[in-house]
Amino acid sequence: MTRVNKLCFQNKQQEKFSMKTFLTLTTLLGFFFLLEVKPLFAQDHKILMEQIMESYLKIGQSLSKGSTGEATQHAKAIVTATDQILKLQVGLPKEKRKEFNILVKRINSYAKRLVGKKDLEELRTEFDVLSHPVIGYLNTFGSDKKYFVYACEGDMNPWIQKNKEPQEDPYCDSPCGNIIKEIGGK
């Protein structure tokens, strides 16, 4: 082998080594980045779900008092938070991710139906529709906080409360209902 050929061969070997090293390091850095970022996404998801729950609870409390004033504001907050959650990478297994997306999209869609409504009975009807995927979400994915699922004996429309008492039936002006389930809490 001539001296020129040897130098060319050595340069190509160094380039291969450098390229392999670069690809290996890039892959490792990407892997470590994903390990660090997934918990951040999961944490953002939990924070946003708590915001959704707070808005949901405020709508229910308002309706239980026969008030419609803040329903649109809190429904818009739910829509905003669910839009943000759907953009996150929530680190769930594929089968759970599908169910997660369905429930969050339904919460989003049903919250939009509350926006702009002024009639108390219409709001109560739409709140009942919204309650089902919210309860489904909590049943499936849980919560760090404890919630109580209530249902009124007459119509069996469910709702969620943070507190055990007093009853805050969003579907009628007088308190009624029983706890049918406790969800969440550690």
Side-chain angles (χ1 to χ4, degrees):
M1 210 182 246
T2 65
R3 183 171 162 85
V4 174
N5 285 344
K6 274 186 178 179
L7 287 174
C8 286
F9 180 73
Q10 287 175 345
N11 284 342
K12 285 184 181 184
Q13 292 294 24
Q14 286 176 346
E15 285 176 18
K16 282 184 181 178
F17 177 76
S18 297
M19 187 54 83
K20 280 185 180 178
T21 304
F22 173 76
L23 290 173
T24 302
L25 288 174
T26 304
T27 303
L28 284 172
L29 286 173
F31 177 72
F32 289 125
F33 175 77
L34 287 175
L35 287 177
E36 290 299 315
V37 171
K38 275 191 176 184
L40 292 175
F41 286 145
Q43 188 60 34
D44 289 342
H45 154 259
K46 286 183 177 184
I47 291 167
L48 289 168
M49 279 312 297
E50 288 304 321
Q51 290 173 4
I52 290 168
M53 288 307 301
E54 287 302 313
S55 293
Y56 170 89
L57 294 169
K58 287 178 182 176
I59 294 169
Q61 290 166 347
S62 178
L63 294 176
S64 74
K65 296 173 185 161
S67 173
T68 62
E70 297 178 354
T72 290
Q73 170 192 349
H74 295 299
K76 284 180 182 178
I78 292 171
V79 170
T80 300
T82 52
D83 284 341
Q84 291 172 347
I85 285 175
L86 290 168
K87 292 176 186 172
L88 293 176
Q89 300 297 318
V90 178
L92 293 171
K94 189 176 181 177
E95 62 280 356
K96 287 285 188 184
R97 180 73 180 164
K98 184 177 179 181
E99 189 171 2
F100 174 85
N101 282 336
I102 289 169
L103 289 168
V104 173
K105 285 177 183 178
R106 285 182 181 164
I107 292 169
N108 178 285
S109 174
Y110 299 154
K112 285 178 182 175
R113 292 167 50 170
L114 287 164
V115 175
K117 296 249 190 289
K118 302 279 187 218
D119 181 70
L120 181 62
E121 291 310 311
E122 279 185 77
L123 282 166
R124 285 176 168 167
T125 299
E126 296 301 339
F127 185 76
D128 177 43
V129 174
L130 174 63
S131 293
H132 292 279
V134 172
I135 292 168
Y137 176 88
L138 290 175
N139 277 330
T140 305
F141 298 100
S143 173
D144 291 341
K145 294 184 179 179
K146 183 185 283 190
Y147 295 102
F148 300 94
V149 179
Y150 271 84
C152 192
E153 296 157 358
D155 53 24
M156 289 306 293
N157 294 345
W159 75 93
I160 300 170
Q161 289 186 199
K162 189 186 321 186
N163 53 314
K164 204 170 191 175
E165 295 293 330
Q167 295 168 337
E168 300 168 339
D169 186 345
Y171 306 115
C172 63
D173 296 325
S174 59
C176 71
N178 295 312
I179 296 173
I180 58 173
K181 186 172 190 171
E182 288 183 29
I183 300 177
K186 289 186 178 183

